[in-house]
Amino acid sequence: MKNVVESKNLSFSYNGILALSDINISIPQGKFVSIVGPNGAGKTTLLKIILGLIKNYSGTIKVFDKNPDEVDPALIGYVPQFKTMDRKFPAIAIELVASGIIRKWPWRIRGKSKQLAYEALSLVKSEHLAERSLSSLSGGELQRVCLARSFVRNPKLIVLDEPATGIDAIGESDLYNLLENYQSKSGATVLMITHDWHVALHHSDLVLLLNRRQIAFASPKEALSEDNLRIAFGHIGHQHNFRGEN
Amino acid sequence: MLEIFTIPFLQRAFIAGALVGFLSSYFGVFVVQRGMGFLGSGLAHAAFGGVAIGIFLNQEPLLFAIPFTILVAIAITYVKEKTNLAEDTAIGIFFSVSMALGIIFIALKKNYSSDAFNYLFGSILAVNYNDILITSLLSLVTIILFPYWKKWAYSSFDRELAYTDKIKVVFDDYLLNIMVAITIVVSIKVVGIVLIAACLVIPPAAARLVSKTFSKMTVLSIFLGVISTFIGIIFSYYLDLPTGALIILLQAVFFFFFMLIKNNS
Ligand SMILES: Nc1ncnc2c1ncn2[C@@H]1O[C@H](COP(=O)(O)OP(=O)(O)OP(=O)(O)O)[C@@H](O)[C@H]1O
Ligand SMILES: [Mg+2]
């Protein structure tokens, strides 16, 4: 297999309003790829297409050489934007991790899946959180549990939507270390959305700079050139203006 | 005391009551967790429309109420999936139309208003073998469908995650809402149309207060649902008061008891 994700002339509109136009990317196996762009750039929309959540796009996109909605979900570990997660749901951390293996909600956790779930939690140094209610976890703790949930199925592709939202600087660099560790062990491809082009510059092999259309898809240095950033964000050096707003 | 278990109509009431308690408190956990409490009221009032048609035609009201309520459940789910209308808007529309239909049919059949009263407020005296048969069948189907608990729970937690894991979220929603609809109809004779929605909400909400996991919440909710129905029927017999109202009050006692426990721990 050559590319994990490959798109040609991919476009998508929400009720006539263009969200993505003419995206052409090929993501090789084993790379760390960042999707960078301001609010409303279409980053989440692109992710939803890759995950098979949005189907009526135009152009073509292949994920593991298949249409996104035909891909075996075991191949993809998805870490959603965790502010969308229902923390009021009565659940403990280990259940959330186990749902990543059985791909349903667990009634009881025992045997093999229990062992795997604990192993995944230990990868993110969070075994001590196993029995904690989701509602009692801090943002950073929940994010680690979600990371463990995506690791536990041993995915070939990990997809993350703004994993650093609401996490302090130390938690954030921990997060990237955990991701990079997992990646070097498993050879998985990582596809991560971020507002923060500094992060993309330091942690990725490839960057997709997006603002509804594809501004660049290249190495971080090349993609995040001053000119490109100005086109994408309108202004460089003030990227913090774009953080935390939605 | 034990002689009450030998009186035939009470035996029927206990069996029907236990099954109804099980069904409503089991499906209720999804209703509560998904914030669909209004669906319960909506479908109960829709059931009234079906019951009224049956009464009007001199037929077994449940035979009309079940398909009628299922249709309304499907329509509500359809409107929710296909439009941007909030679920409660869809429910509000079908709710009032069904109720209006029911009132017209009952009005056309003037001498049957006492029968309608039984359906509105429940009457364990009216529980017959057909009711037990239908309720047992539904309970059996519910147990066979138990593997769906894991899918309904998953999409109750996060629809999008469930969807990415190839759970057939939309189909499962229809199935769940249809099961809720039938549960409501078969519960009518024990609890009554006016109060059935509460049975779907109070035991799960009480269980939610003290449960750390969704499976524990489910087990506790079923326990509370069955026990309150059982005790409610006994009280109803000795105090000569309406069963449905007593069941709901007992459930409320559990709810406030758990709230006290929770706030003191
Ligand atoms: N369900 C929807 N219906 C209509 N328009 C939508 C919908 N979801 C997103 N959009 C629009 O599509 C555009 C792209 O949205 P998207 O969520 O992909 O942006 P994003 O890059 O992820 O932004 P953010 O950084 O704020 O998360 C935005 O203009 C948004 O308003
Ligand atoms: Mg987004």
Side-chain angles (χ1 to χ4, degrees):
Chain A
M1 188 195 320
K2 331 160 285 292
N3 290 316
V4 175
V5 177
E6 185 151 353
S7 78
K8 282 205 183 70
N9 308 325
L10 178 71
S11 300
F12 178 74
S13 310
Y14 288 104
N15 311 315
I17 299 162
L18 198 65
L20 282 176
S21 131
D22 213 13
I23 307 298
N24 293 282
I25 52 173
S26 355
I27 299 176
Q29 175 90 49
K31 301 288 185 202
F32 193 122
V33 182
S34 298
I35 304 178
V36 183
N39 286 133
K43 305 182 295 292
T44 299
T45 304
L46 178 58
L47 219 65
K48 285 188 175 171
I49 293 174
I50 291 171
L51 290 166
L53 293 168
I54 291 177
K55 290 180 188 154
N56 49 338
Y57 52 84
S58 65
T60 60
I61 178 158
K62 297 283 176 196
V63 180
F64 295 107
D65 285 328
K66 288 188 172 146
N67 292 327
D69 57 331
E70 289 160 357
V71 175
D72 178 359
L75 293 172
I76 303 178
Y78 172 40
V79 181
Q81 215 165 354
F82 81 91
K83 66 183 164 200
T84 65
M85 193 166 267
D86 178 11
R87 299 176 67 168
K88 294 255 161 65
F89 191 81
I92 53 176
I94 193 83
E95 290 185 298
L96 181 53
V97 179
S99 75
I101 321 169
I102 64 173
R103 286 185 258 132
K104 285 176 189 158
W105 197 257
W107 174 263
R108 286 178 67 176
I109 305 168
R110 39 183 178 175
K112 184 87 178 145
S113 55
K114 184 169 187 171
Q115 186 198 330
L116 289 171
Y118 269 98
E119 281 170 21
L121 275 177
S122 82
L123 279 181
V124 298
K125 305 184 189 79
S126 300
E127 286 151 295
H128 60 290
L129 301 176
E131 299 288 323
R132 291 266 300 273
S133 297
L134 296 190
S135 56
S136 78
L137 298 177
S138 75
E141 288 169 338
L142 181 61
Q143 194 56 276
R144 279 165 180 257
V145 173
C146 288
L147 213 56
R149 179 189 183 279
S150 73
F151 292 164
V152 75
R153 63 178 64 174
N154 219 340
K156 294 270 173 292
L157 171 64
I158 299 180
V159 176
L160 307 101
D161 195 345
E162 307 262 10
T165 316
I167 296 178
D168 64 21
I170 295 168
E172 190 173 346
S173 71
D174 275 357
L175 178 81
Y176 303 129
N177 286 338
L178 293 170
L179 263 178
E180 281 160 348
N181 278 344
Y182 177 80
Q183 192 181 24
S184 62
K185 259 184 273 173
S186 65
T189 310
V190 174
L191 186 56
M192 181 180 83
I193 291 184
T194 176
H195 283 108
D196 188 337
W197 58 266
H198 289 123
V199 167
L201 194 61
H202 291 115
H203 294 277
S204 29
D205 303 310
L206 282 167
V207 170
L208 170 62
L209 186 62
L210 201 67
N211 195 351
R212 294 184 187 238
R213 65 186 182 83
Q214 174 174 337
I215 294 163
F217 179 62
S219 71
K221 280 222 170 74
E222 199 181 323
L224 298 169
S225 70
E226 270 189 37
D227 284 347
N228 284 342
L229 284 173
R230 195 170 293 118
I231 296 169
F233 288 93
H235 214 296
I236 60 162
H238 288 90
Q239 53 91 18
H240 287 282
N241 290 346
F242 297 100
R243 294 191 65 185
E245 302 166 0
N246 207 343
Chain B
M1 165 89 204
L2 283 176
E3 89 273 359
I4 67 166
F5 295 107
T6 62
I7 304 168
F9 88 84
L10 272 177
Q11 285 176 338
R12 290 198 295 273
F14 278 124
I15 297 171
L19 294 175
V20 160
F22 157 67
L23 290 165
S24 56
S25 55
Y26 173 67
F27 289 112
V29 296
F30 305 106
V31 170
V32 165
Q33 204 54 52
R34 293 176 175 213
M36 310 191 308
F38 192 49
L39 179 74
S41 317
L43 290 177
H45 290 80
F48 178 75
V51 164
I53 295 171
I55 291 177
F56 177 72
L57 297 173
N58 277 331
Q59 303 290 328
E60 168 62 48
L62 288 195
L63 287 184
F64 287 81
I66 289 177
F68 188 81
T69 314
I70 289 177
L71 270 178
V72 172
I74 292 174
I76 289 171
T77 318
Y78 181 82
V79 171
K80 193 196 114 199
E81 307 278 354
K82 295 287 172 185
T83 71
N84 284 331
L85 290 176
E87 188 172 60
D88 57 356
T89 311
I91 294 168
I93 294 165
F94 288 106
F95 173 141
S96 37
V97 170
S98 312
M99 198 70 197
L101 268 179
I103 292 167
I104 299 285
F105 279 113
I106 296 289
L108 289 172
K109 194 91 183 177
K110 289 179 184 70
N111 48 338
Y112 270 78
S113 55
S114 71
D115 214 9
F117 193 85
N118 282 343
Y119 285 95
L120 281 176
F121 298 105
S123 163
I124 47 167
L125 293 169
V127 174
N128 58 35
Y129 281 108
N130 278 340
D131 296 319
I132 292 191
L133 188 72
I134 297 175
T135 317
S136 307
L137 259 175
L138 181 61
S139 302
L140 188 68
V141 173
T142 301
I143 290 165
I144 293 170
L145 289 180
F146 180 69
Y148 273 88
W149 181 93
K150 297 181 177 184
K151 304 188 196 188
W152 286 325
Y154 200 15
S155 51
S156 303
F157 171 62
D158 195 314
R159 250 179 112 74
E160 200 175 87
L161 274 188
Y163 202 89
T164 55
D165 274 336
K166 303 274 183 289
I167 303 281
K168 295 188 172 53
V169 176
V170 174
F171 173 85
D172 295 354
D173 278 0
Y174 277 103
L175 185 62
L176 177 62
N177 290 356
I178 288 170
M179 293 305 284
V180 170
I182 309 175
T183 295
I184 284 170
V185 178
V186 302
S187 308
I188 284 176
K189 279 201 183 157
V190 177
V191 193
I193 285 167
V194 174
L195 291 175
I196 177 61
C199 276
L200 282 166
V201 171
I202 303 178
R208 172 73 187 83
L209 288 173
V210 293
S211 305
K212 243 179 134 180
T213 71
F214 196 57
S215 52
K216 286 182 181 151
M217 171 178 165
T218 307
V219 172
L220 183 57
S221 173
I222 292 172
F223 175 77
L224 294 177
V226 172
I227 203 89
S228 54
T229 320
F230 226 78
I231 302 176
I233 292 171
I234 295 175
F235 278 17
S236 163
Y237 177 72
Y238 282 113
L239 303 177
D240 195 21
L241 288 171
T243 322
L246 285 169
I247 293 172
I248 303 299
L249 288 178
L250 273 166
Q251 292 176 348
V253 168
F254 283 120
F255 180 84
F256 289 112
F257 178 67
F258 284 150
M259 225 158 86
L260 277 178
I261 293 182
K262 181 157 174 120
N263 288 344
N264 290 330
S265 63

